[in-house]
Amino acid sequence: MDDGSRNAQGPGARASSALTKATPCAQPPEEARGPSVGPVATVAGGIPAVISALRHVYGEMDVVRGTKLLLKVNQKEGFDCPGCAWPDPGHRSMAEFCENGAKAVAEEAMSARVTPEFFRRWSVVDLALQTDHWLGKQGRLTHPMVLREGATHYEPLSWDEAFALVAEELNALDTPDAASFYTSGRTSNEAAFLYQLFVRQFGTNNLPDCSNMCHESSGSALNETVGIGKGTVTLEDFDKADAIFVIGQNPGTNHPRMLSSLEAAARRGCQIVSINPLPETGLNRFKHPQDVLHLIGPGTALNSLFVQVRINGDAALLQGIAKALFEMEDANPGSVVAKGFIDDKTLGFEAYAAHMRAVKWEDVEEGSGVPRAQVLAAAEILARSERTIFCWAMGLTQHRNGVACIQEIVNLTLLRGGIGKPGAGLCPVRGHSNVQGDRTMGIWEKPPEALLTALSREFRFEPPRHHGMDVVDTLHAMHDGRVKVFFALGGNFLSATPDTEFTAEALRRTRLTVHVSTKLNRSHLVHGRRALILPCLGRTERDVQAGGAQFVTVENSMGVVSSSRGSVAPASEHLLSEPVIVARLATAVLGARSRVPWLSLVEDYDRIREQISRVIPGFDDFNRRVREPGGFALPNGPREGRFTTKSGKAHFTVHALQPIALEPGQLLMMTIRTHDQFNTTVYGLDDRYRGIRNGRRVVLLHPADMKAQGLAADQLVDLRSHFEGETRLARGFRVVPYNIPRRCAATYFPEANVLVPVNSFAEKSRTPTSKSVVISITPAGEPRALPAGAVA
């Protein structure tokens, strides 16, 4: 509805008439009993994590296969975990995986199969009635499948027919910009490089990717201020830090192997400060599952200080810490501010200092929700630390002021001279195993001129120079008919994006949707006039081409490139690798228009890497260096003491605080993950660390807010989001009292993505504001006035 009001049902909501179009979906049968709520866990890891990991692995495959795979995860001659991008240590244990990594492996390597017979039995509408959890548990896709115009069921087709269908649609477009090519973070460097090359030879820079929705704010903030859109630390820096600040991040669930580094740091006396609206178990205490001596007992205390900030109060808090540092410096000149570093290496300090001294303490306390004494305690830790690492994740990036908030971290780091020396620096913790590598390989709608020049020189074609579409642009362009073909190399686009109903309608208005996938997901059920599912090999599986067994490469969160080699038989003889899918697609679409020897390149992936070495900076002698144990680190100017901005110096920045005004009865909602999911993949229905089991449609509220609104624990409620006169509705959430700041709320995604407005995004980065959604709550089914045209 273009008047801005819509009924946002979402995965797990009760059925609506829209189900005839295969929207997400009816009340989950496994959640019919509703969630149960128990005590919040006090320690992460330990024996429960081991039991959970093994239960998932051996529940999805036999013991021999499962054990073989676990012993290959993140090993130098094994495969990179399909989960998070936390780096591997130089000296690796026999079991170099975490609980959620084991779940990711189990999901990919499961024994169950989704065959053509499955699709004959299940119509698209019937599949749409199932939950995301159920869809994922049906197994690995085995054949290319097509949903023809007007059909109710997917049916098999050959690979040649699939590529011909895509070529027909793409080559019939009036302009290459009428197609958009999405990429997920699980794609290898080799596949990503070929993909962006194909898309640019086709004639567009429409390359939206999962970075647009996650860490784009980090890249925007860091490129402007230090000259590189990546972190500036290595894993070894964690062994040398005096203090580590973990902000807007839940490593116990999202990056569990990070806890090993934090545990080692805490044991040697490093102070860990966690800043987050929720007190997360993974930053409270940790028992390393492989540390037999410490499995009994309370575990290692990680937090030295927990600062419970209000949702989107981080910028105010960070400015408060900076103000405190200036006050310490004024009281004892030369004791806090790294004047020599600032004079030699930075610009903009005077304006920043003047701004910080003018900041009022009452604005800091009101904006952050943190008392002044606790702000001062955090500032004291930073002032005493000679080597400080700042880590953050999507708790900072997915706000309207996400870029500014990250630049406040940069300001603090520069103030202390904390970049370019061991044990100190900036550490954005990315969530998917090769999302950083995709961007390095050129998956970006705003390509730098140097990349386009290198592509032109190497492959003898003229790439498009105009910027392409990011995720938000693509949603609007599909919705209004400007993008007619949508191609996704991995991912679950519908469930990952904001404003689920808007996204669903946008996808339905295309002529063709194509998804390269390993498993069934909701994006296959909300489709264009025609739809294709193209099944691909997973990380765990052997990839054998004409040149023999192949491996691919990935880049972790800290800029280390390493190899990944699958070891088990593919789920089906009909699967193709992602590089081969891209090469055959390019051959079918471009034909004689392209001089690239696509099919020759994928006979031996060394040939792809040779091309990469001549195009992408830092990949010289790629084939030799990636075969060295542990791979190699890419150049990083700031890490090496050289800021790579145009000025050659780091930049302080000044930002006015941007408080979010809430009307009476409104709360600020953030979406979060459960411990039983990774991104949009739902492993189970429990959130063990938070004490919530058998349910995902819950809303976490402060007990005082519940009382003020007349709500009771376990009560069924409806959520409405409010943005610039628009109202979105999500039905059927159960209230859970929780330790969360007043006037804040937390819900799980993708269930609550229906409430995230498509036009609410971060300044500069355009990242959807999934952590800053203004909502109101009413008892389920209670009538309430909505804007004209809304459907309740």
Side-chain angles (χ1 to χ4, degrees):
M1 300 177 188
D2 292 335
D3 66 359
S5 53
R6 56 178 62 88
N7 182 41
Q9 298 265 348
R14 65 185 178 87
S16 76
S17 60
L19 282 171
T20 58
K21 298 180 181 179
T23 49
C25 81
Q27 182 67 28
E30 60 259 64
E31 292 186 45
R33 301 190 309 273
S36 63
V37 181
V40 174
T42 58
V43 60
I47 292 174
V50 175
I51 293 171
S52 175
L54 297 181
R55 177 172 57 84
H56 275 84
V57 171
Y58 298 140
E60 301 292 359
M61 66 193 91
D62 64 75
V63 172
V64 173
R65 179 184 172 93
T67 302
K68 178 180 178 182
L69 282 171
L70 290 179
L71 295 178
K72 287 285 189 179
V73 184
N74 296 320
Q75 299 298 330
K76 292 176 181 177
E77 295 300 320
F79 62 91
D80 188 68
C81 178
C84 79
W86 189 252
D88 304 316
H91 300 287
R92 304 181 195 186
S93 66
M94 185 174 67
E96 195 58 55
F97 59 88
C98 66
E99 175 189 350
N100 276 3
K103 293 175 184 176
V105 170
E107 286 288 306
E108 179 179 294
M110 61 170 48
S111 300
R113 299 289 182 264
V114 174
T115 64
E117 175 56 30
F118 174 91
F119 285 106
R120 280 192 286 271
R121 287 188 288 111
W122 287 89
S123 71
V124 171
V125 169
D126 288 338
L127 287 171
L129 291 169
Q130 308 306 314
T131 66
D132 290 16
H133 178 232
W134 185 92
L135 292 173
K137 291 300 180 184
Q138 300 316 297
R140 288 289 301 279
L141 296 159
T142 61
H143 292 68
M145 305 296 296
V146 62
L147 184 68
R148 303 191 189 278
E149 185 171 1
T152 58
H153 292 67
Y154 275 97
E155 60 186 75
L157 80 170
S158 71
W159 279 104
D160 284 344
E161 290 173 315
F163 293 128
L165 191 157
V166 181
E168 172 195 337
E169 288 285 5
L170 288 177
N171 287 328
L173 296 174
D174 294 334
T175 169
D177 289 331
S180 193
F181 299 87
Y182 178 75
T183 319
S184 94
R186 56 144 284 157
T187 306
S188 68
N189 287 328
E190 289 75 13
F193 182 79
L194 292 183
Y195 192 54
Q196 62 84 31
L197 176 60
F198 156 64
V199 170
R200 292 190 165 108
Q201 285 212 337
F202 178 65
T204 185
N205 283 314
N206 287 350
L207 283 160
D209 72 332
C210 56
S211 283
N212 295 155
M213 295 181 286
C214 300
H215 265 285
E216 198 71 60
S217 295
S218 297
S220 297
L222 297 178
N223 269 311
E224 283 186 358
T225 53
V226 300
I228 189 170
K230 304 179 182 183
T232 67
V233 299
T234 66
L235 191 59
E236 291 71 27
D237 287 317
F238 281 75
D239 298 329
K240 302 167 186 173
D242 301 319
I244 301 171
F245 283 65
V246 182
I247 312 176
Q249 184 189 356
N250 177 16
T253 288
N254 300 329
H255 322 91
R257 285 201 300 155
M258 182 180 178
L259 297 184
S260 300
S261 297
L262 295 178
E263 178 191 50
R267 286 184 179 177
R268 63 174 176 78
C270 176
Q271 292 193 286
I272 297 171
V273 179
S274 64
I275 298 170
N276 204 53
L278 299 179
E280 299 292 9
T281 299
L283 283 166
N284 181 38
R285 287 184 173 272
F286 176 60
K287 293 182 182 180
H288 198 305
Q290 297 179 47
D291 188 348
V292 178
L293 295 178
H294 290 85
L295 281 180
I296 305 300
T300 301
L302 298 184
N303 272 337
S304 300
L305 176 66
F306 169 55
V307 182
Q308 189 167 25
V309 69
R310 180 177 295 154
I311 292 175
N312 199 24
D314 305 272
L317 173 66
L318 294 165
Q319 288 199 7
I321 293 173
K323 182 174 181 64
L325 293 180
F326 277 108
E327 290 179 352
M328 295 177 197
E329 175 70 13
D330 291 343
N332 189 5
S335 63
V336 176
V337 174
K339 190 172 187 307
F341 174 90
I342 290 169
D343 290 345
D344 292 343
K345 301 281 189 178
T346 74
L347 296 174
F349 173 72
E350 294 302 328
Y352 173 69
H355 174 74
M356 285 301 106
R357 289 191 168 99
V359 167
K360 297 178 180 179
W361 275 111
E362 53 264 37
D363 293 336
V364 169
E365 292 184 290
E366 173 62 26
S368 66
V370 177
R372 181 173 177 177
Q374 203 169 25
V375 179
L376 294 175
E380 284 282 356
I381 291 174
L382 179 56
R384 292 195 304 267
S385 171
E386 290 300 318
R387 297 174 297 276
T388 305
I389 295 174
F390 282 92
C391 304
W392 69 90
M394 289 186 290
L396 293 193
T397 64
Q398 294 181 324
H399 299 287
R400 182 171 178 80
N401 61 336
V403 172
C405 193
I406 294 161
Q407 289 182 341
E408 296 293 358
I409 291 178
V410 176
N411 288 335
L412 286 176
T413 307
L414 297 178
L415 194 63
R416 297 288 292 136
I419 298 180
K421 66 181 181 181
L426 304 166
C427 183
V429 184
R430 297 180 183 269
H432 217 319
S433 58
N434 197 44
V435 62
Q436 187 159 292
D438 284 352
R439 182 57 55 85
T440 301
M441 290 295 109
I443 301 292
W444 197 10
E445 77 281 358
K446 296 182 289 188
E449 185 62 30
L451 171 66
L452 299 180
T453 299
L455 289 171
S456 176
R457 180 184 64 245
E458 180 67 21
F459 296 104
R460 293 179 293 170
F461 79 105
E462 190 56 37
R465 253 60 186 186
H466 61 281
H467 286 176
M469 298 181 187
D470 60 15
V471 165
V472 172
D473 290 328
T474 294
L475 292 176
H476 282 290
M478 290 192 296
H479 201 271
D480 61 24
R482 287 179 290 120
V483 162
K484 297 176 172 61
V485 175
F486 177 78
F487 191 107
L489 187 61
N492 181 354
F493 187 76
L494 175 73
S495 293
T497 46
D499 213 336
T500 310
E501 289 291 329
F502 185 90
T503 298
E505 185 58 31
L507 288 166
R508 292 191 194 103
R509 294 183 183 187
T510 62
R511 295 204 311 227
L512 176 68
T513 50
V514 186
H515 295 276
V516 177
S517 306
T518 57
K519 297 175 63 185
L520 188 64
N521 67 54
R522 191 155 304 280
S523 293
H524 304 143
L525 311 178
V526 179
H527 50 81
R529 195 178 303 164
R530 293 193 286 182
L532 283 170
I533 302 173
L534 306 182
C536 65
L537 294 175
R539 289 270 179 87
T540 59
E541 293 168 316
R542 289 193 298 270
D543 182 356
V544 180
Q545 304 300 333
Q550 304 297 314
F551 68 86
V552 294
T553 64
V554 295
E555 178 187 345
N556 66 36
S557 267
M558 297 179 187
V560 175
V561 179
S562 60
S563 63
S564 177
R565 188 187 304 269
S567 60
V568 298
S572 165
E573 63 180 347
H574 302 285
L575 305 184
L576 298 181
S577 73
E578 287 180 323
V580 170
I581 289 174
V582 175
R584 289 186 61 178
L585 175 65
T587 301
V589 173
L590 301 176
R593 287 179 283 164
S594 175
R595 300 178 181 178
V596 177
W598 297 99
L599 300 182
S600 174
L601 288 176
V602 295
E603 289 177 352
D604 184 342
Y605 297 172
D606 276 359
R607 298 171 186 170
I608 307 173
R609 288 186 282 271
E610 183 60 32
Q611 301 278 13
I612 292 172
S613 72
R614 296 200 290 267
V615 172
I616 307 296
F619 284 82
D620 311 80
D621 204 10
F622 189 3
N623 276 310
R624 179 190 63 79
R625 294 163 69 205
V626 80
R627 285 175 165 86
E628 295 175 353
F632 62 94
L634 292 173
N636 188 304
R639 180 188 296 162
E640 298 152 12
R642 298 176 293 102
F643 292 106
T644 45
T645 58
K646 289 182 179 179
S647 67
K649 294 192 175 186
H651 294 257
F652 283 93
T653 50
V654 175
H655 305 282
L657 295 179
Q658 299 179 14
I660 294 179
L662 296 175
E663 296 179 5
Q666 291 183 341
L667 303 99
L668 193 61
M669 183 196 82
M670 63 178 181
T671 62
I672 57 176
R673 296 175 184 167
T674 74
H675 193 63
D676 255 1
Q677 76 178 100
F678 182 74
N679 292 343
T680 60
T681 302
V682 178
Y683 304 133
L685 299 176
D686 296 342
D687 195 352
R688 189 174 78 245
Y689 289 161
R690 296 190 182 106
I692 301 170
R693 296 182 181 273
N694 193 55
R696 295 181 51 82
R697 295 186 70 80
V698 299
V699 55
L700 311 187
L701 300 175
H702 191 286
D705 287 324
M706 292 169 53
K707 182 178 180 180
Q709 300 210 24
L711 302 174
D714 200 42
Q715 182 175 351
L716 203 62
V717 297
D718 297 336
L719 310 180
R720 288 174 173 83
S721 68
H722 307 273
F723 177 74
E724 296 183 349
E726 301 172 352
T727 301
R728 291 162 179 79
L729 171 65
R731 296 186 182 278
F733 284 71
R734 293 194 180 273
V735 173
V736 174
Y738 208 80
N739 181 6
I740 187 171
R742 290 293 310 272
R743 302 200 73 179
C744 294
T747 53
Y748 298 135
F749 83 92
E751 286 79 4
N753 284 2
V754 292
L755 297 171
V756 182
V758 69
N759 289 322
S760 180
F761 45 76
E763 296 166 345
K764 296 184 179 179
S765 72
R766 294 172 56 81
T767 297
T769 58
S770 299
K771 297 285 191 291
S772 285
V773 182
V774 176
I775 66 166
S776 59
I777 302 177
T778 55
E782 180 177 292
R784 178 166 174 164
L786 292 174
V791 180

